[in-house]
Amino acid sequence: MNRLRIVLPAVLFFLLGLFRAPLAGQSYLIRTYTENDGLASSTIHDLAQTPDGRIWFATRAGVSVYDGTRWTTYSAPNGFPTLTINELAVDANGSLWAWGDNPHPTLARFRDGKWEPQTAPMESEAALYPAGFVVTGPPGRETAVLGTQFTGVFLYRNGAWSRLRKADGLASDGVHGLAADGETIYAATNGGLSIIRDGAVDNSLNAAHPILRQGIVGIVAEKTTAGRRLWLAGRSWLARWEGGKLQVLSENLITYTDITHPHLAMSPDGTGGVYFGNPNAVFHWRAANREVESLDRSSGLIAEGMTAVLLDREMNIWIASLRGLSKISGQRFANFRKVQGLLEDEVTAILQLKDGRLVFGHNIGLTFFDGRSFRTLSFANRSKAQLTENRILDMIEDADGVIWAAASNSGLARISPDGAIRWFGREAGLIGQVSSVADAGNGRLWVSSNQGLLLYAGGKFEPAPDASLANRYIRKIGRTRDGRIFITSASGGVSVKERGVWTRFSSSDNPSANNGYAAADDGRGHLLVGTLAGLYEAKEGRLLPFALPGLHIERPVYLILREPGGALWFGTDNGAVRWDGQAARAYTIKQGFAGLEVNRAAGLVDGSGRVWIGTSAGVSRYQPEFDFAPDRIPPPIVSIERIEAGGAWNAADKPLHLAARQNNLEFEFRAVTFVDEAAVRYRYRMEGYDSRWSDPRTAGEG
């Protein structure tokens, strides 16, 4: 809780800077939490978010709540009535309910800052194995519903308990999860889906859809603009019920359900997909590619599996486990590194082969990626002490499926489809650090180095026909999307060949602008050049700073990449900038980007239109469905909790009358956000007293 000591009674707050198997594993922007951060226990059974924005955690040592700044725990004997809490649910009025069972089964409700135990359940059913918990009904008529693994469904209303079992029409006494839509309850059971309305049970969907009768081990309801969506999972299948239709999404899953962990926790991801898993594994079905991907420790999670999962109001995904808590703060970039299967973390160049595989260049070799698994090719005869000797600076594939790789001081590598490598260096007439390679047509190659430009044809390297390009440190040779050949150099600006004529563009007043790395046409008539001085335009023989409203880059630009839809990416020494023609958005490691510096040949739009960018610490794949517009993420929830005046604390929602000399006030307030807790800043102003806002302060600073 934050405290602010001021004089006079009215305060306003303004927060700054926040209004903003399966496939191969990947990593995301993830933060983890344990008992050392404030949890009552790292063994977490369930979690829920209340309307005030705070997130609650049911653990084996009490209930913990987190507001982004402070953790609070309610545990026996001075908090929740039992030690172990298994299930949490929020009712229509925003109140939190919880079920615990150690030492005795207990249902309790949190209201007005304290836990209120409810009537104890039937003694004969003391040994319950909870499997789902929801609270339905309007305020004053709530019904708490508990699913159990072996003994059906228990319902609590107005102090009385009742039960539904198979003999009462339930599809099975074995329940694996509950979901609710208003006062309608959906029970996932071993025998299929049971729909409970007004105490009556409807199993008709099981007859219409035989796959349901195989048993349902996971269920979650999602509210959409079109109505209600129900996600369902079996031991080997995933489906969704929407608009009166059941759509089976996958029928060949391995979910690792077993006797010890028979249920699957589930949560929508906010973009049409769903997370599901248990303490053995975590999975994510993405709507964008209709594939199931796995997440584990190599992805950044604190554990291999999960016990519960939650999508919060700010689109963060919280994954609870028996080993702690993981928060996925951003999925706009899926990142791949050595821990996922790359030969090494740094990715220096990217190529897509005709067969669809991606090739990632490194300092010591190559990684081949088919979308599901990685295969590496190490330059074993090159020592790690000579990293710059082998660094792959550029790659192309020729008509025969041969990869040609510019490998700095090691020369040019010819890599045949069977993985055999032949090196071309000084003995072949290739002198200097080989920096780039490009198709020159008719079976020929352009090969550039810090000694100039060579043409490879008929097994021989010869100087380029144009003498003006000789003896120049060339960094990159390539083609723009509109067909022009370009060459960037370390000191000579950029040279462009159009209609058989070379034209050189340079800056007369900024030498750093002549230190070029990349060039591309923007599709709007501009030839853009990435330089050490920033983003420039090649125009009328000159390099001129390029800027549009919202787009102005003065830091080094190493890569320029154009999406099929026209958006441009600029790789820099600190992340990347995406320009959609209207606005620019910068991405760094704080937004989930893999690394700091982007490498100049490490950008690619693959055959499916996905953007890949290689960095000094891994390769990032852009996932636009998770790149939420700023207005999609709600602002933090700010509230004044109480006010101290005259030595006494007063409720913030009630009138406060002060004596003439009672002008020292202390405000206790809360600003709840989980986008980036460490980035929370606030300012305050005394209405009618202060003429300006205060300087920014960090959360928790009084």
Side-chain angles (χ1 to χ4, degrees):
M1 190 71 68
N2 302 283
R3 289 187 180 181
L4 178 67
R5 213 176 281 278
I6 63 171
V7 178
L8 294 181
V11 138
L12 298 176
F13 297 93
F14 177 67
L15 290 169
L16 305 176
L18 292 170
F19 304 105
R20 31 338 170 175
L23 297 183
Q26 60 283 302
S27 65
Y28 294 114
L29 180 61
I30 296 178
R31 179 178 176 183
T32 60
Y33 309 80
T34 66
E35 294 174 44
N36 292 327
D37 298 289
L39 279 164
S41 168
S42 294
T43 300
I44 307 168
H45 300 135
D46 202 4
L47 69 170
Q49 186 171 36
T50 46
D52 62 6
R54 294 186 295 170
I55 298 184
W56 299 73
F57 306 92
T59 82
R60 70 177 179 184
V63 179
S64 293
V65 58
Y66 182 45
D67 65 8
T69 301
R70 188 176 74 170
W71 294 83
T72 304
T73 291
Y74 301 89
S75 60
N78 58 357
F80 193 84
T82 68
L83 181 62
T84 299
I85 294 84
N86 309 102
E87 305 279 350
L88 297 174
V90 180
D91 65 22
N93 202 38
S95 294
L96 183 72
W97 297 65
W99 172 268
D101 64 2
N102 181 13
H104 306 292
T106 301
L107 176 67
R109 180 181 188 178
F110 190 75
R111 188 160 47 181
D112 296 329
K114 59 184 179 181
W115 288 98
E116 302 173 346
Q118 307 298 301
T119 303
M122 312 167 197
E123 275 189 30
S124 60
E125 301 297 342
L128 299 175
Y129 293 85
F133 182 50
V134 296
V135 180
T136 68
R141 294 178 47 217
E142 297 91 353
T143 299
V145 187
L146 179 72
T148 66
Q149 190 172 339
F150 304 110
T151 50
V153 173
F154 288 78
L155 302 97
Y156 174 82
R157 182 175 178 183
N158 294 332
W161 288 88
S162 61
R163 182 168 56 157
L164 291 172
R165 303 195 66 167
K166 187 173 182 179
D168 304 302
L170 205 64
S172 169
D173 284 341
V175 177
H176 295 291
L178 299 175
D181 181 9
E183 296 191 61
T184 300
I185 303 161
Y186 299 91
T189 80
N190 284 328
L193 183 66
S194 292
I195 304 174
I196 305 169
R197 298 187 185 93
D198 299 324
V201 181
D202 177 6
N203 296 317
S204 59
L205 287 181
N206 303 319
H209 304 286
I211 195 171
L212 301 180
R213 298 200 298 270
Q214 296 178 16
I216 305 172
V217 296
I219 185 170
V220 69
E222 178 184 11
K223 186 177 181 180
T224 70
T225 55
R228 182 69 63 175
R229 176 184 294 151
L230 201 63
W231 294 93
L232 304 164
R235 291 174 179 82
S236 62
W237 55 268
L238 178 70
R240 64 185 175 201
W241 173 266
E242 188 173 18
K245 296 180 180 179
L246 183 74
Q247 182 180 11
V248 178
L249 305 172
S250 181
E251 292 188 78
N252 58 355
L253 298 178
I254 301 175
T255 58
Y256 301 103
T257 51
D258 54 28
I259 294 175
T260 305
H261 305 298
H263 322 303
L264 291 176
M266 302 186 76
S267 172
D269 69 4
T271 67
V274 66
Y275 281 86
F276 59 101
N278 62 18
N280 295 320
V282 179
F283 304 101
H284 181 200
W285 185 86
R286 288 181 55 209
N289 60 7
R290 302 181 67 81
E291 293 270 11
V292 174
E293 300 174 344
S294 64
L295 291 90
D296 51 28
R297 288 181 184 271
S298 68
S299 304
L301 299 183
I302 202 168
E304 294 296 318
M306 69 180 183
T307 53
V309 56
L310 170 74
L311 173 70
D312 73 15
R313 60 185 291 273
E314 296 172 306
M315 309 303 289
N316 301 300
I317 291 287
W318 299 78
I319 296 178
S321 77
L322 300 175
R323 296 291 181 265
L325 178 68
S326 304
K327 180 190 70 175
I328 304 178
S329 297
Q331 301 172 78
R332 59 172 60 88
F333 294 106
N335 299 317
F336 301 85
R337 300 182 174 91
K338 186 175 181 178
V339 69
Q340 275 79 38
L342 297 186
L343 180 62
E344 62 176 317
D345 284 346
E346 182 161 16
V347 174
T348 58
I350 307 177
L351 169 70
Q352 183 166 34
L353 303 179
K354 296 180 181 68
D355 62 13
R357 288 179 298 160
L358 296 180
V359 185
F360 302 113
H362 307 288
N363 294 302
I364 59 173
L366 305 175
T367 299
F368 295 82
F369 181 48
D370 64 6
R372 291 186 177 274
S373 60
F374 298 93
R375 182 175 66 85
T376 61
L377 177 64
S378 177
F379 301 152
N381 60 326
R382 305 301 204 260
S383 76
K384 288 190 176 182
Q386 299 173 306
L387 289 181
T388 57
E389 296 286 318
N390 322 310
R391 186 178 178 89
I392 302 300
L393 299 176
D394 202 5
M395 294 185 290
I396 66 166
E397 180 188 23
D398 68 18
D400 297 322
V402 172
I403 299 171
W404 295 86
S408 191
N409 287 333
S410 288
L412 182 70
R414 181 190 185 277
I415 305 160
S416 63
D418 63 3
I421 306 175
R422 178 184 176 187
W423 290 93
F424 297 88
R426 181 179 294 273
E427 73 285 350
L430 195 55
I431 302 173
Q433 296 177 346
V434 178
S435 57
S436 188
V437 59
D439 183 5
N442 299 320
R444 302 173 301 164
L445 298 176
W446 291 109
V447 182
S448 69
S449 74
N450 61 349
Q451 301 298 313
L453 184 65
L454 297 173
L455 188 65
Y456 176 77
K460 297 181 181 180
F461 293 90
E462 298 180 351
D466 194 323
S468 67
L469 300 174
N471 302 318
R472 186 180 299 169
Y473 184 175
I474 296 174
R475 279 215 175 87
K476 175 74 174 175
I477 179 168
R479 292 181 184 271
T480 62
R481 288 173 64 98
D482 58 11
R484 288 176 282 182
I485 299 174
F486 69 86
I487 290 175
T488 62
S489 69
S491 59
V494 60
S495 297
V496 180
K497 187 176 184 179
E498 187 174 12
R499 300 185 183 93
V501 178
W502 285 97
T503 303
R504 182 182 171 197
F505 300 84
S506 62
S507 172
S508 60
D509 55 4
N510 190 345
S512 293
N514 294 324
N515 191 344
Y517 293 91
D521 68 277
D522 70 349
R524 301 173 178 86
H526 304 105
L527 180 61
L528 304 183
V529 181
T531 79
L532 188 64
L535 183 61
Y536 277 67
E537 178 183 6
K539 185 177 182 181
E540 298 176 354
R542 302 172 62 194
L543 286 177
L544 303 172
F546 184 78
L548 292 172
L551 177 65
H552 184 59
I553 306 175
E554 292 185 327
R555 64 187 322 125
V557 174
Y558 301 132
L559 169 73
I560 304 176
L561 191 63
R562 183 172 152 196
E563 294 181 20
L568 293 171
W569 288 84
F570 305 99
T572 77
D573 62 339
N574 185 22
V577 176
R578 184 177 185 268
W579 167 256
D580 64 5
Q582 301 295 324
R585 298 185 70 178
Y587 304 102
T588 68
I589 56 175
K590 288 186 175 182
Q591 287 76 42
F593 199 61
L596 288 175
E597 187 165 289
V598 172
N599 288 310
R600 62 179 180 264
L604 174 78
V605 179
D606 68 19
S608 299
R610 295 174 298 189
V611 172
W612 297 78
I613 299 178
T615 78
S616 55
V619 61
S620 290
R621 183 186 67 206
Y622 181 55
Q623 300 185 152
E625 71 271 26
F626 294 104
D627 194 11
F628 306 118
D631 59 2
R632 176 80 185 272
I633 306 302
I637 298 176
V638 183
S639 60
I640 299 176
E641 299 298 307
R642 57 181 185 166
I643 304 170
E644 185 187 43
W649 285 102
N650 302 269
D653 58 351
K654 293 180 172 56
L656 179 60
H657 301 281
L658 303 176
R661 295 184 180 181
Q662 288 181 322
N663 57 357
N664 291 323
L665 303 178
E666 184 171 327
F667 289 76
E668 192 171 82
F669 69 94
R670 177 183 291 125
V672 181
T673 178
F674 302 107
V675 173
D676 182 359
E677 297 101 309
V680 175
R681 302 290 184 272
Y682 68 90
R683 299 195 299 184
Y684 62 87
R685 179 171 65 86
M686 314 239 320
E687 193 174 71
Y689 180 78
D690 287 328
S691 60
R692 64 178 185 85
W693 292 91
S694 72
D695 293 332
R697 298 191 181 192
T698 59
E701 181 183 359

